[in-house]
Amino acid sequence: MEKLKQNLDQKNTAVIVVDVQNDYCHPEGAIAKTGIDVSAVNKMMPNLQALLESAREHEIPVIFLQTNHEKATDSEVWLSRFKDGVNPICHTGSWGAEFFVVAPLSTDIVVKKHRYSGFIHTRLESVLQTLKIETLVMTGVSTNLCVESTARDGFMMDYRIVFLKDSCAAFSQEEHDMTIKTIDTYFGMATDTKDVISFWQHQAKRSPQLQD
């Protein structure tokens, strides 16, 4: 709990929701259609919903990262991830690119991205600087790809990282566990959603987060 206090106490914080979109999460999305198990998403969803409710209640900014792929951003190297060189995931304007279960409110922020990391060629850094954010609470899909990539970049850009073990999902338990260990050892800390919610509740009783 002391480590959590160091990362959250009197720190301007934002919740980052990574790629909770149909193609990654829905049983009829592009990922599931390849035979990959996406069931971990539904298991973590109640925790994510509780976190978002708490964040909004305590006026903590919520930033949704939304992957969009199109011809203008799908370079030859980027497409080399696919055996046939065709990217079936999150095409701009498609159903697959829409948010899954949770969606931004009018008070939330949406940052579109085209690579694993939310910091690559996006406005995320500008948004965080404007809000004077110091700590990123990381959630979303998939744990070991887009969430981890964003968390790593964030840490190396001097943001504190609080990675929520039970508000993230990967497509295998092994991949999820590897990331949790790596983040907790080298790129910040990993903790449970209930601990962050509890901390916000106690902090609010002492002094609400100031918004500039």
Side-chain angles (χ1 to χ4, degrees), residues 124-153:
L124 179 58
E125 174 68 356
S126 177
V127 170
L128 296 176
Q129 288 180 350
T130 298
L131 297 176
K132 298 180 173 59
I133 298 299
E134 301 162 90
T135 297
L136 307 181
V137 175
M138 299 300 307
T139 72
V141 180
S142 67
T143 310
N144 60 306
L145 288 176
C146 295
V147 189
E148 179 177 346
S149 295
T150 304
R152 283 175 176 245
D153 284 350

Side-chain angles (χ1 to χ4, degrees), residues 144 148 172-183:
N144 60 306
E148 179 177 346
S172 76
Q173 190 64 45
E174 180 183 17
E175 290 171 322
H176 180 83
D177 292 344
M178 284 191 304
T179 286
I180 296 304
K181 182 177 180 180
T182 298
I183 293 293

Side-chain angles (χ1 to χ4, degrees):
M1 187 59 79
E2 183 58 33
K3 192 173 183 181
L4 186 63
K5 182 178 179 181
Q6 292 173 0
N7 283 284
L8 292 180
D9 192 27
Q10 302 303 310
K11 302 294 190 300
N12 280 348
T13 300
V15 173
I16 310 295
V17 185
V18 182
D19 293 357
V20 183
Q21 298 166 255
N22 286 329
D23 268 346
Y24 296 118
C25 305
H26 197 286
E28 296 179 7
I31 294 295
K33 284 182 176 179
T34 68
I36 293 175
D37 182 9
V38 299
S39 62
V41 175
N42 283 329
K43 293 178 182 177
M44 70 87 171
M45 196 58 70
N47 295 319
L48 178 57
Q49 290 173 311
L51 179 81
L52 295 181
E53 181 179 353
S54 180
R56 290 159 178 158
E57 177 186 349
H58 294 102
E59 299 185 347
I60 293 168
V62 175
I63 302 173
F64 281 78
L65 302 187
Q66 182 182 29
T67 288
N68 281 265
H69 292 311
E70 56 190 60
K71 187 175 181 180
T73 61
D74 278 347
S75 68
E76 182 179 352
V77 172
W78 190 237
L79 291 175
S80 68
R81 300 176 298 143
F82 306 99
K83 291 181 180 180
D84 58 2
V86 176
N87 183 357
I89 301 171
C90 292
H91 292 165
T92 299
S94 70
W95 169 85
E98 294 175 3
F99 294 107
F100 176 77
V101 179
V102 295
L105 302 183
S106 60
T107 52
D108 299 333
I109 299 162
V110 177
V111 173
K112 297 184 182 298
K113 70 184 184 69
H114 314 291
R115 294 295 185 266
Y116 293 140
S117 172
F119 284 98
I120 300 299
H121 306 311
T122 75
R123 67 188 185 115
L124 179 58
E125 174 68 356
S126 177
V127 170
L128 296 176
Q129 288 180 350
T130 298
L131 297 176
K132 298 180 173 59
I133 298 299
E134 301 162 90
T135 297
L136 307 181
V137 175
M138 299 300 307
T139 72
V141 180
S142 67
T143 310
N144 60 306
L145 288 176
C146 295
V147 189
E148 179 177 346
S149 295
T150 304
R152 283 175 176 245
D153 284 350
F155 181 77
M156 289 184 281
M157 296 170 73
D158 292 329
Y159 293 97
R160 297 173 181 268
I161 300 298
V162 177
F163 203 101
L164 298 193
K165 297 181 285 186
D166 54 355
S167 285
C168 294
F171 303 127
S172 76
Q173 190 64 45
E174 180 183 17
E175 290 171 322
H176 180 83
D177 292 344
M178 284 191 304
T179 286
I180 296 304
K181 182 177 180 180
T182 298
I183 293 293
D184 202 42
T185 304
Y186 301 108
F187 297 96
M189 67 169 294
T191 190
D192 294 321
T193 301
K194 63 179 177 60
D195 292 334
V196 171
I197 293 175
S198 177
F199 188 91
W200 286 342
Q201 290 171 339
H202 285 96
Q203 188 179 50
K205 292 176 182 178
R206 291 185 287 120
S207 57
Q209 178 175 331
L210 298 177
Q211 298 295 325
D212 292 319

